[in-house]
Amino acid sequence: MLKVVKFGGSSLADAAQFAKVRQIVTSDPDRRVVVVSAPGKRFDGDHKITDLLYLCCAHLQYGVSCENVYGMIADRYRQIAAECGLSMEVQGEFDVLYRKMQQGISQDELVSRGEYFAARLMAEYLGYDFLDAADWLQFTFDGQIDREHSYEMLRRIAGERRVVIPGFYGVMPDGHIRVLTRGGSDVTGALAAAALSADVYENWTDVSGILMADPRIVEHPRPIERITYSELRELSYMGAQVLHEASVFPVRQADIPLNIRNTNEPQHPGTLIREYFEDELESEKNRFITGIAGRRNFSIVTMAKNGLSSSPGSLRRVLEVFERHNLNVEYTPSGIDSVSLVVQSGKAAGCLYSILGELQKEFSPDKLQVAENISIVAAVGRKMACRPGTSGKIFAALGENGISIRMISQGPEELNIIVGVDNADFEKTVRVLYDSFVK
């Protein structure tokens, strides 16, 4: 069995966290491929190494000395090396990098050094081989990841070795370093897992899996034990703080289970994510909701016209009006002769009146109105389709608690039930759904 494991910045913040990582990795011989981020914050008010490196880039760009900031970065690595008893000559490595900065270095290469040095230290600490991401993660000239070439390179270079890989960056065809977007180490880990056909991809962070609701709204929400990739996508789209889609796609495509774990609570099983689950846990039998998420500040444009539903192409023509203004329509709940279009208020602010004018001119509707200050809340669950009366129970719970539903949307797969409520009722809606169907 092969487990590819990725550790985020909070898991590498200092020597104490390094020790936790080593204990986790060495406790399971199947954890042979380790991907690491740059050290994160140690405490409130502290700085992430990547943020400090970007600050150095800004100083260099404007001809301002970054010696003090650079010294903070080097000190962090020196402290980790010293407290972990490592032999790597950190100061010498940073002196070389500093001279290169004075001669000229790209922003991407400089900010990538956070992961690079973290991986160097972790490789020595674990007794694993260091495998530079630039040796296998290849970009094309247009900035896309060359998966076929990258996968082939990693399989050939890694072989059966135990390796530590820095996340967040790769290399362009001309040899220049290129970084991924922020959080790119998650992408690196997923790509490595897919390339090596891992049996499990473990993503270690500072939370014990994905929570069923936002802890800022619901006190101590339960972690989700198991969730499908489709459910994860729904929750992510609705604003839940989960992994970015780009960091999930490679392992989903390869049908590799993804396990989100907590470095500070390694005995907790976390959240397991798969394409589907054939069995059912005891804890899942009486619960049809997997998670609850939502977003504030939407507008609902509603247009009604007698005979609208019998006019071929009418919905397409309505959507084209929004498309001309580059405004994405999130949902389109409709009636027989009416259609509602849900858009993000912030993005619609500069063009909404123009859109209304065009709709009026093209359709001469019987009614055209806008509802503002709307929140969208989704109850997501793969078993909703198997439970008759699910929608009715949700609507009844909200009604009993004095929450007016302004919009309803549910897809044919019945993976989620989405309601629109007033912004003022957003948090109450999330709490009512959680208390009614999860507790």
Side-chain angles (χ1 to χ4, degrees):
M1 174 176 275
L2 170 64
K3 294 181 179 179
V4 172
V5 294
K6 180 266 175 182
F7 291 93
S10 61
S11 302
L12 299 149
D14 55 26
Q17 294 300 99
F18 262 62
K20 292 177 183 178
V21 170
R22 183 169 70 170
Q23 176 60 35
I24 290 168
V25 173
T26 57
S27 68
D28 188 341
D30 292 328
R31 293 175 176 137
R32 303 199 307 269
V33 177
V34 180
V35 178
V36 298
S37 297
K41 293 182 179 181
R42 296 161 291 184
F43 46 80
D44 288 342
D46 195 20
H47 300 283
K48 297 179 180 180
I49 289 296
T50 301
D51 290 339
L52 293 176
L53 287 166
Y54 272 113
L55 185 57
C56 284
C57 292
H59 283 197
L60 292 172
Q61 181 181 356
Y62 292 102
V64 179
S65 173
C66 64
E67 187 173 351
N68 289 338
V69 177
Y70 190 75
M72 293 169 60
I73 298 169
D75 285 345
R76 178 88 75 91
Y77 287 98
R78 278 198 301 267
Q79 184 177 4
I80 292 173
E83 294 182 13
C84 291
L86 304 178
S87 62
M88 177 179 162
E89 181 48 57
V90 175
Q91 187 58 55
E93 296 271 4
F94 274 87
D95 287 344
V96 171
L97 179 58
Y98 192 74
R99 288 194 294 271
K100 188 171 184 179
M101 290 165 58
Q102 308 313 306
Q103 298 165 1
I105 188 173
S106 72
Q107 174 175 283
D108 279 18
E109 181 175 358
L110 180 53
V111 298
S112 74
R113 298 304 87 180
E115 278 74 11
Y116 173 84
F117 285 118
R120 291 276 304 278
L121 292 174
M122 184 57 71
E124 181 183 345
Y125 197 40
L126 293 173
Y128 281 24
D129 294 333
F130 170 74
L131 198 166
D132 196 348
D135 290 337
W136 70 275
L137 186 51
Q138 307 281 320
F139 289 91
T140 57
F141 276 114
D142 63 357
Q144 301 300 308
I145 295 172
D146 186 343
R147 288 199 186 184
E148 183 177 354
H149 189 201
S150 297
Y151 286 8
E152 180 184 348
M153 289 291 291
L154 183 59
R155 286 192 290 265
R156 181 161 57 85
I157 297 172
E160 297 298 318
R161 293 190 296 160
R162 297 179 180 276
V163 297
V164 177
I165 301 170
F168 188 41
Y169 70 91
V171 67
M172 295 291 286
D174 60 4
H176 286 91
I177 296 294
R178 181 185 177 92
V179 299
L180 295 152
T181 56
R182 295 299 292 267
S185 292
D186 288 330
V187 179
T188 305
L191 290 169
L196 299 173
S197 300
D199 295 282
V200 178
Y201 169 43
E202 294 180 346
N203 191 305
W204 292 80
T205 180
D206 56 1
V207 294
S208 297
I210 301 170
L211 300 176
M212 296 189 72
D214 189 335
R216 295 168 297 184
I217 300 175
V218 174
E219 187 175 358
H220 306 303
R222 294 179 183 178
I224 299 172
E225 295 178 74
R226 308 192 307 177
I227 185 172
T228 64
Y229 283 115
S230 295
E231 290 173 299
L232 183 73
R233 168 68 175 139
E234 293 286 343
L235 288 174
S236 175
Y237 188 78
M238 291 303 301
Q241 298 299 307
V242 297
L243 294 172
H244 190 276
E245 183 178 4
S247 66
V248 171
F249 181 76
V251 286
R252 180 179 186 179
Q253 187 180 44
D255 195 23
I256 296 172
L258 168 56
N259 193 191
I260 300 177
R261 306 283 295 273
N262 188 346
T263 303
N264 302 312
E265 196 179 351
Q267 301 308 314
H268 195 288
T271 298
L272 183 65
I273 309 166
R274 303 200 66 165
E275 192 63 39
Y276 65 91
F277 295 95
E278 296 179 348
D279 61 336
E280 184 177 51
L281 298 179
E282 187 67 30
S283 60
E284 298 172 337
K285 289 184 177 179
N286 297 317
R287 187 169 66 237
F288 57 83
I289 289 180
T290 300
I292 302 161
R295 293 182 288 166
R296 293 181 175 87
N297 300 321
F298 286 84
S299 300
I300 303 177
V301 178
T302 299
M303 186 180 77
K305 181 178 176 61
N306 187 37
L308 184 67
S309 62
S310 59
S311 176
S314 57
L315 179 58
R316 172 184 54 78
R317 289 163 52 209
V318 171
L319 291 172
E320 284 178 346
V321 173
F322 288 79
E323 183 181 0
R324 286 197 291 270
H325 291 272
N326 198 32
L327 182 60
N328 184 51
V329 175
E330 306 277 343
Y331 307 101
T332 56
S334 61
I336 295 176
D337 285 325
S338 67
V339 60
S340 294
L341 303 107
V342 183
V343 297
Q344 293 185 42
S345 299
K347 295 181 178 179
C351 61
L352 187 57
Y353 287 112
S354 296
I355 288 174
L356 294 176
E358 291 183 33
L359 291 174
Q360 182 69 47
K361 180 179 179 180
E362 184 165 348
F363 293 93
S364 299
D366 301 324
K367 182 176 70 173
L368 184 61
Q369 64 184 30
V370 179
E372 303 276 10
N373 301 312
I374 301 296
S375 290
I376 305 298
V377 180
V380 177
R382 61 186 177 275
K383 296 190 295 180
M384 285 184 175
C386 306
R387 303 292 178 91
T390 297
S391 299
K393 292 176 182 178
I394 289 177
F395 302 150
L398 295 177
E400 289 168 3
N401 285 273
I403 298 172
S404 176
I405 300 175
R406 306 292 300 277
M407 184 273 289
I408 299 168
S409 179
Q410 183 177 15
E413 292 183 350
E414 297 187 54
L415 189 63
N416 62 19
I417 295 173
I418 298 169
V419 296
V421 299
D422 291 330
N423 273 347
D425 288 329
F426 173 67
E427 294 190 358
K428 183 180 179 181
T429 300
V430 174
R431 283 192 289 266
V432 166
L433 291 177
Y434 185 88
D435 293 343
S436 300
F437 302 106
V438 176
K439 271 190 172 180

